[in-house]
Amino acid sequence: MSKINGFVGRRNFLKLAGVGGVGIGASAIGNVLLSGESAVAQTPATVTGEKPQPVNPQEALALLLEGNKRFVDGKRLNPHQSKLRLQETAVAQYPFAAILGCADSRVPAEIVFDQGLGDLFVVRVAGNVASQTAIGSLEFATAVLGAQLIVVLGHARCGAVIAATKGDPLPGRIGVFVEEIKPAVERVRNKTGSLEENSIIANVQYQAEKLGESSTILGGLIKDSKLKIVGGRYDLASGKVTLLT
């Protein structure tokens, strides 16, 4: 990790982390903290060697929704995908937002939000589950790299959520992440309407809550108004992302 700058500084980072670990490699964090520098989230402008200006959660969300509209309308700009951009991001990264999305092959975040190299820090796991590994990765994206927005992105016809609604025995380790979804399903099992659709929405909301509640680092950033976590649902047929409240 050649040149990644620390967002919160050594003292504040350790304060956010508390006694427990943060779930990311010790050597990577050590390099970041020892640099003694500060990082901010990247603006959509090109990185030219100067420290980019931070992108607040509202601006970051607007950029994502504008990009998704371009995608839906068939007017993608395919930004930040040039050879120059490749060289710039080889030096450092300043993602303006982080995505916790499903590993489903039909929901690639950079494409559906029309973004490019270095714009998004994407964590993908089946069922967009806030596992310990995912939480650690998002702590890194926010506390170290400076992203001030996390979007938990679920999608229609999610196989992991459907499996959780059925509750059938599953082979191998598939059941591990399905178990992480079942509490969300139970929240809406007796709700009127489609159990599948209600569960997809409930799972996004449940995982978003879990991020803020189970991570001292993320919770601290939210308290200090340096982070916002929102949920969204991606429609496989239209490509549209709808925010969930």
Side-chain angles (χ1 to χ4, degrees), residues 148-200:
Q148 296 189 10
L149 174 72
I150 296 175
V151 178
V152 179
L153 186 63
H155 66 92
R157 297 192 292 281
C158 179
V161 174
I162 293 173
T165 63
K166 294 180 179 179
D168 297 333
L170 297 167
R173 299 189 180 183
I174 298 175
V176 174
F177 60 81
V178 172
E179 287 297 320
E180 302 264 11
I181 300 172
K182 287 183 178 180
V185 174
E186 293 310 310
R187 286 185 175 186
V188 295
R189 186 169 294 279
N190 297 320
K191 184 177 179 180
T192 58
S194 166
L195 177 60
E196 176 184 321
E197 182 60 25
N198 289 340
S199 296
I200 288 169

Side-chain angles (χ1 to χ4, degrees), residues 29-46:
I29 285 297
N31 290 338
V32 169
L33 297 178
L34 290 175
S35 70
E37 301 177 35
S38 60
V40 290
Q42 175 185 325
T43 64
T46 303

Side-chain angles (χ1 to χ4, degrees), residues 34 37 66 69 80 93-94 99 101 159 162 183-184 189 191 231:
L34 290 175
E37 301 177 35
E66 289 167 6
K69 187 176 188 305
H80 299 162
Q93 62 170 322
Y94 303 97
I99 311 291
I162 293 173
R189 186 169 294 279
K191 184 177 179 180

Side-chain angles (χ1 to χ4, degrees), residues 13-208:
F13 185 88
L14 293 176
K15 184 185 296 183
L16 280 172
V19 177
V22 297
I24 48 185
S27 59
I29 285 297
N31 290 338
V32 169
L33 297 178
L34 290 175
S35 70
E37 301 177 35
S38 60
V40 290
Q42 175 185 325
T43 64
T46 303
V47 178
T48 59
E50 297 180 0
K51 182 186 295 185
Q53 294 299 310
V55 180
N56 66 46
Q58 293 73 27
E59 293 171 333
L61 186 57
L63 288 171
L64 291 178
L65 294 178
E66 289 167 6
N68 180 246
K69 187 176 188 305
R70 293 194 301 269
F71 173 70
V72 171
D73 294 342
K75 299 179 179 180
R76 289 173 59 199
L77 299 178
N78 300 310
H80 299 162
Q81 297 178 28
S82 66
K83 183 69 173 181
L84 175 60
R85 179 66 168 184
L86 180 67
Q87 295 168 345
E88 290 167 345
T89 53
V91 178
Q93 62 170 322
Y94 303 97
F96 71 83
I99 311 291
L100 174 57
C102 183
D104 192 294
S105 63
R106 300 166 291 181
V107 197
E110 289 88 350
I111 294 177
V112 304
F113 287 116
D114 193 24
Q115 302 299 323
L117 295 170
D119 290 333
L120 304 178
F121 189 100
V122 183
V123 179
R124 296 178 67 181
V125 60
N128 39 276
V129 166
S131 65
Q132 290 303 302
T133 303
I135 291 172
S137 297
L138 292 169
E139 289 175 339
F140 182 79
T142 53
V144 178
L145 299 182
Q148 296 189 10
L149 174 72
I150 296 175
V151 178
V152 179
L153 186 63
H155 66 92
R157 297 192 292 281
C158 179
V161 174
I162 293 173
T165 63
K166 294 180 179 179
D168 297 333
L170 297 167
R173 299 189 180 183
I174 298 175
V176 174
F177 60 81
V178 172
E179 287 297 320
E180 302 264 11
I181 300 172
K182 287 183 178 180
V185 174
E186 293 310 310
R187 286 185 175 186
V188 295
R189 186 169 294 279
N190 297 320
K191 184 177 179 180
T192 58
S194 166
L195 177 60
E196 176 184 321
E197 182 60 25
N198 289 340
S199 296
I200 288 169
I201 294 172
N203 183 51
V204 169
Q205 295 169 333
Y206 173 73
Q207 305 301 338

